[in-house]
Amino acid sequence: MQGIDRRAKERLVDFTIAHPERYASLDAGRGRSPEDRRRDRELRRGSDRQRRRSAGSTDGLPAVRDELYYPYWRIGGAGIGVVALRFHAALGDPRYLETARRIALHLQGSYTVFPTNFSGMSGIGNFFVDMHRRMEEARYLEEARRFVDRVMLFAIEKPSGLAFPGEELLRISTDYGTGSAGTGMFIHRIAAGGGLPYIDF
């Protein structure tokens, strides 16, 4: 994209990651405006640039100075894997699916000290549910169920039902990102299937 500086290009890539629905209707470029096709090409170039930066890492996803890797949905492999699966669904580009597979291989058998959705095992487990939905391979659902087993170690029985500790395990929380709502949603997806709220419409 001539005339647009590097920061503008990176903002475009960030925007498309935050708003994948803009790319959900792609059909090999048919019916797309030249501007939309140009943005698609730029998105792919941004992805290629990130993959080159990631060369040599076990899961292809560097965090801090290529020395520290996070597994979480909010910051780390699980969240990037969730986005990669949706980019694959929208664009049909096999590189996104391969990225998700590599992330799944890296996250398999993980254990974190938090059960939560955004920064804990529920979010990682949700990624494995997504892998199962996309790939229809039983091993991904089995891994997601193992994450349920790990999450249930944190369950607190109350008269009204189960509750889960929130961020930093300091108190019971009911919110979606760091509490019982998000953890319960993950358990529900294991039992009943379905997509991720706020992402799959």
Side-chain angles (χ1 to χ4, degrees), residues 27-68:
D27 184 17
R30 288 190 295 262
R32 307 271 294 155
S33 72
E35 177 69 16
D36 286 341
R37 287 195 294 275
R38 183 177 56 76
R39 277 194 299 251
D40 296 340
R41 286 192 301 274
E42 186 57 34
L43 173 63
R44 287 190 178 99
R45 277 197 290 272
S47 175
D48 290 342
R49 188 168 53 248
Q50 180 60 39
R51 288 169 65 86
R52 283 194 298 274
R53 285 184 198 146
S54 303
S57 68
T58 56
D59 63 350
L61 303 166
V64 179
R65 295 191 182 119
D66 290 343
E67 297 170 6
L68 183 62

Side-chain angles (χ1 to χ4, degrees), residues 2-177:
Q2 295 179 350
I4 297 180
D5 66 12
R6 191 186 63 145
R7 285 183 69 87
K9 290 179 185 179
E10 289 173 354
R11 283 194 303 271
L12 175 62
V13 171
D14 290 344
F15 175 80
T16 56
I17 289 172
H19 302 282
E21 71 277 1
R22 292 279 313 268
Y23 295 88
S25 61
L26 286 178
D27 184 17
R30 288 190 295 262
R32 307 271 294 155
S33 72
E35 177 69 16
D36 286 341
R37 287 195 294 275
R38 183 177 56 76
R39 277 194 299 251
D40 296 340
R41 286 192 301 274
E42 186 57 34
L43 173 63
R44 287 190 178 99
R45 277 197 290 272
S47 175
D48 290 342
R49 188 168 53 248
Q50 180 60 39
R51 288 169 65 86
R52 283 194 298 274
R53 285 184 198 146
S54 303
S57 68
T58 56
D59 63 350
L61 303 166
V64 179
R65 295 191 182 119
D66 290 343
E67 297 170 6
L68 183 62
Y69 298 87
Y70 292 101
Y72 307 116
W73 194 90
R74 184 174 65 97
I75 52 165
I80 294 170
V82 164
V83 172
L85 286 172
R86 281 148 184 88
F87 268 53
H88 176 260
L91 300 172
D93 189 329
R95 294 175 300 173
Y96 294 114
L97 189 58
E98 180 56 29
T99 297
R101 281 189 183 126
R102 290 171 59 199
I103 292 168
L105 182 64
H106 181 71
L107 294 179
Q108 205 165 357
S110 296
Y111 183 91
T112 74
V113 295
F114 305 118
T116 62
N117 190 25
F118 285 178
S119 298
M121 291 182 288
S122 292
I124 301 169
N126 270 316
F127 167 62
F128 280 100
V129 174
D130 286 347
M131 285 295 292
H132 173 68
R133 290 183 72 208
R134 173 68 51 204
M135 305 296 300
E136 297 183 351
E137 292 181 22
R139 64 189 173 120
Y140 294 121
L141 186 58
E142 290 166 11
E143 185 65 19
R145 287 181 176 142
R146 283 191 282 272
F147 273 98
V148 169
D149 292 340
R150 296 171 198 144
V151 164
M152 291 305 292
L153 296 173
F154 294 85
I156 302 165
E157 289 195 38
K158 299 298 248 175
S160 58
L162 291 180
F164 291 89
E167 197 162 3
E168 303 297 325
L169 308 177
L170 296 175
R171 62 186 167 274
I172 292 174
S173 172
T174 58
D175 70 68
Y176 178 75

